[in-house]
Amino acid sequence: MSASSKKKLRAEENAAKLTEKQLSERKEAKKLRIYTIAFGVVLAVMIVAFIWVGVSQTITNAGVREKKTVALTIGEHKINSVEMNYFYVDSINNFYSQYGSYAAMFGLDTTVPLDQQVLDEETGRTWADDFLESAQSAAQSAYAAADAAEAAGFTLPEETQDQLDQYSANLDTYAKINGFSDADAYLKAMYGNGASKKSYMDYYTRNVLASAYQTEYRASLSFTDDEIAAKEAEDPAAYNHYSYHQYYLSTSKYLSGGTTDENGTTTYSDTEKEAARIAAEAAARSLVGDNIVTVEDLDAAIAALSINAESTSAASTAYDDTPVSYLGSTIADWIKDSARKAGDKTYIASTSTSTDDDGNETTTVNGYYVVYFDSVTDNKFPLANVRHILVQYKGGTTDENGTTTYSDEEKAAAMTAAQAILDEWEAGEATEDSFAALAAEKTEDEGSKENGGLYEDVYPGQMVTAFNDWCFDADRKPGDTGIVETEYGCHVMYYSGDSDITYRTYKITEVLRTEAYNQWSEDLLANAVMTVGNSKYIRGNLVLSK
């Protein structure tokens, strides 16, 4: 298998590890700030990792062999086993931070050494191999981007460097709190022989530099109007959002007869399966007849189906303002058809294909999607420019999982403080400039403090729900003010005005930016030739919990 094929396979395996639900949850969990390097998150992950990895003793060996053993070569960089263990253990930490208790669903047993758990019976690849490959890829990406940053003369901002220095100092404090003499002792216990504060900070700083430059490079990409128009012309529907109702009729609901064995397992003949398919299709056809004019008609017909005789809630599901990427593949082409208009309806078979030992394919109809089309939005509305002053909640109660909740009284106190700020602004010049000055003085959002509380080119879904809804209210106009309550506190809002960029243009530009960035990344990796060395001292026998 070629190197590019391995990378593609790797990407597909990682993508498969995310369920649709988890992806959705990730989207909902977006933070208010547009961008920040979260040093505290890394420390929190290390805390979790220390508990999860379950290292039972402090390793005192100096790690001379590990320091002299080259585990990986990237271009002219020779990475010894000590640094490779940083990448390796952190790849495990990253996996756990993403999936946590879901690890068992992927077949990972945290009580058994990683190198004794086989992931692929055919190749013999173990979990240790899997994490090591992830670590090698991470190392290649980090070194490639860091080298590019240095070649471009990119340096970390002073604020970021200060945060790195503070993080280094915090390592010693954290180590002592957890019973270690210093950061060196803690890092040896965490990452293995030879680990030290100096080498770890070198590793960590390189990763921060690489990440910061990657973000900077991506943000710097820009495109001409002609390039944007050409990309849009390739697939105009890709940048629309669609609203529709959907109902699924499974053929299994219409199965009857069957033969039940002594274990209670019922099987059905091909004739019985075909009869069920015919019945399901007939039901689907009845839901798109001429008598179905409105969604209310559709839901009434659904409720009247024989299979729903004992249900009190059978109805279609509404999908509002749905991006093309969220449309099911079975119905996407019908939904995206430019001829589609409100009230159109259809039913579409959901099928699966299987192949027998002789290579013969069999297509099975599993059910039918009934789809009622509501509307399409072309997203040609402007993005928002908005200023805000954040008043955070004070106090709160933090549970054992680290989740902080606030009482009604604590929330009311934040609202009172926010109202006082708005009143102060209204009693003064009541201009955008005076609001910006007040934001610079009073806001508790460090990400916008120096910018007078301003966020420009805010796109739908970027901010938390209440903040987003205020910005994109249909009646919103420049100069509007208000107070919005979110999970972060109370926000005194000022609508600065519409952006010159539409949401549609933003979406097209993001596609172009992603394509250009991915090509740049691929070129960097292609030039950062990687050669696997001696992995003898990589912690393949690690037991993650005891």
Side-chain angles (χ1 to χ4, degrees):
M1 182 181 290
S2 67
S4 62
S5 296
K6 286 182 178 178
K7 289 174 185 174
K8 182 178 180 182
L9 177 60
R10 186 83 192 162
E12 291 172 349
E13 289 174 342
N14 288 336
K17 290 175 180 175
L18 285 174
T19 65
E20 182 177 343
K21 177 182 178 183
Q22 290 166 324
L23 285 172
S24 176
E25 289 174 346
R26 275 187 172 188
K27 184 182 177 189
E28 290 301 318
K30 281 185 178 179
K31 298 299 183 183
L32 175 64
R33 297 179 183 179
I34 295 175
Y35 166 68
T36 181
I37 301 176
F39 296 89
V41 171
V42 177
L43 187 57
V45 168
M46 290 177 68
I47 294 171
V48 172
F50 177 75
I51 296 170
W52 189 59
V53 170
V55 178
S56 60
Q57 62 180 11
T58 303
I59 301 173
T60 58
N61 190 292
V64 174
R65 294 171 301 179
E66 286 83 354
K67 292 176 182 177
K68 291 185 175 181
T69 301
V70 177
L72 191 69
T73 301
I74 299 172
E76 297 180 355
H77 302 284
K78 296 186 182 300
I79 302 173
N80 64 27
S81 296
V82 174
E83 184 177 357
M84 199 65 234
N85 270 320
Y86 294 148
F87 282 108
Y88 176 73
V89 174
D90 281 351
S91 73
I92 298 172
N93 294 342
N94 292 336
F95 178 85
Y96 180 71
S97 68
Q98 282 187 336
Y99 306 115
S101 59
Y102 293 102
M105 293 175 58
F106 303 117
L108 177 61
D109 187 339
T110 60
T111 66
V112 176
L114 294 174
D115 58 5
Q116 293 180 23
Q117 298 185 63
V118 177
L119 259 177
D120 188 330
E121 295 290 346
E122 186 174 335
T123 63
R125 189 164 67 109
T126 65
W127 273 97
D129 296 328
D130 187 72
F131 285 126
L132 180 55
E133 288 174 16
S134 292
Q136 291 164 347
S137 295
Q140 184 184 28
S141 178
Y143 271 92
D147 284 350
E150 292 174 2
F154 175 82
T155 58
L156 291 172
E158 182 178 349
E159 179 183 0
T160 302
Q161 188 59 55
D162 290 342
Q163 289 175 315
L164 277 170
D165 294 340
Q166 185 60 50
Y167 178 65
S168 177
N170 288 343
L171 279 176
D172 286 306
T173 302
Y174 172 72
K176 291 177 180 178
I177 289 174
N178 287 276
F180 294 91
S181 59
D182 54 24
D184 285 351
Y186 164 72
L187 291 167
K188 286 179 182 179
M190 182 71 190
Y191 293 101
N193 292 354
S196 66
K197 181 178 176 180
K198 181 183 184 307
S199 64
Y200 178 78
M201 286 307 301
D202 287 344
Y203 155 81
Y204 183 53
T205 301
R206 182 179 296 104
N207 277 276
V208 170
L209 175 66
S211 179
Y213 183 61
Q214 288 168 327
T215 300
E216 175 78 10
Y217 179 83
R218 191 181 191 284
S220 72
L221 295 170
S222 61
F223 306 92
T224 66
D225 291 342
D226 287 345
E227 288 173 321
I228 292 171
K231 172 54 66 174
E232 180 181 22
E234 292 177 8
D235 185 7
Y239 310 102
N240 295 336
H241 285 186
Y242 297 90
S243 295
Y244 60 99
H245 281 71
Q246 178 181 291
Y247 182 71
Y248 183 66
L249 283 160
S250 174
T251 57
S252 64
K253 293 286 188 70
Y254 292 90
L255 283 169
S256 61
T259 302
T260 304
D261 62 20
E262 58 185 10
N263 297 317
T265 301
T266 302
T267 57
Y268 298 90
S269 67
D270 290 343
T271 300
E272 290 168 331
K273 291 178 182 178
E274 177 60 11
R277 185 203 65 76
I278 291 172
E281 183 177 12
R285 189 182 303 112
S286 74
L287 298 178
V288 298
D290 293 340
N291 60 316
I292 306 297
V293 178
T294 65
V295 172
E296 290 73 21
D297 294 337
L298 174 61
D299 287 342
I302 290 171
L305 292 174
S306 60
I307 60 170
N308 294 326
E310 298 181 4
S311 174
T312 59
S313 59
S316 61
T317 300
Y319 293 86
D320 296 322
D321 201 35
T322 306
V324 168
S325 59
Y326 280 69
L327 296 177
S329 59
T330 303
I331 67 170
D333 288 343
W334 185 84
I335 290 282
K336 290 166 54 181
D337 192 321
S338 60
R340 197 63 51 231
K341 61 185 184 299
D344 282 357
K345 50 194 179 292
T346 192
Y347 69 91
I348 304 171
S350 172
T351 62
S352 60
T353 303
S354 59
T355 305
D356 62 22
D357 294 338
D358 297 324
N360 300 312
E361 289 189 351
T362 301
T363 299
T364 302
V365 175
N366 302 309
Y368 293 89
Y369 286 102
V370 176
V371 191
Y372 182 99
F373 187 83
D374 291 315
S375 63
V376 58
T377 301
D378 61 17
N379 292 314
K380 291 182 179 179
F381 57 86
L383 302 184
N385 296 327
V386 61
R387 294 183 187 272
H388 84 128
I389 300 171
L390 173 63
V391 179
Q392 294 178 328
Y393 302 128
K394 304 299 189 297
T397 302
T398 303
D399 64 19
E400 58 185 8
N401 298 316
T403 301
T404 302
T405 57
Y406 299 91
S407 66
D408 291 341
E409 291 77 12
E410 289 167 335
K411 292 181 178 180
M415 180 61 74
T416 298
Q419 185 62 56
I421 292 173
L422 182 57
D423 291 344
E424 179 181 345
W425 174 78
E426 290 176 340
E429 297 178 3
T431 63
E432 181 171 356
D433 287 343
S434 66
F435 190 96
L438 205 56
E441 176 188 351
K442 295 182 179 293
T443 188
E444 294 179 289
D445 173 22
E446 295 299 326
S448 64
K449 187 180 186 70
E450 295 183 2
N451 206 21
L454 179 64
Y455 281 110
E456 294 183 293
D457 301 333
V458 176
Y459 56 86
Q462 177 181 349
M463 302 301 191
V464 291
T465 302
F467 195 112
N468 176 87
D469 291 348
W470 191 91
C471 291
F472 292 100
D473 186 293
D475 297 324
R476 188 64 56 228
K477 60 185 184 299
D480 281 356
T481 58
I483 298 177
V484 171
E485 186 176 3
T486 74
E487 62 197 85
Y488 301 104
C490 294
H491 308 255
V492 183
M493 308 290 289
Y494 181 95
Y495 194 74
S496 181
D498 295 344
S499 168
D500 294 332
I501 302 171
T502 67
Y503 187 33
R504 187 176 185 85
T505 299
Y506 165 79
K507 288 170 73 71
I508 298 168
T509 302
E510 280 301 292
V511 171
L512 285 168
R513 182 172 284 117
T514 297
E515 291 176 349
Y517 174 80
N518 287 345
Q519 184 59 59
W520 174 76
S521 295
E522 288 180 14
D523 292 343
L524 282 184
L525 293 177
N527 292 326
V529 179
M530 181 172 67
T531 303
V532 176
N534 187 344
S535 60
K536 178 180 180 180
Y537 297 110
I538 305 304
R539 305 182 70 186
N541 63 347
L542 201 62
V543 178
L544 305 182
S545 64
K546 295 181 180 178

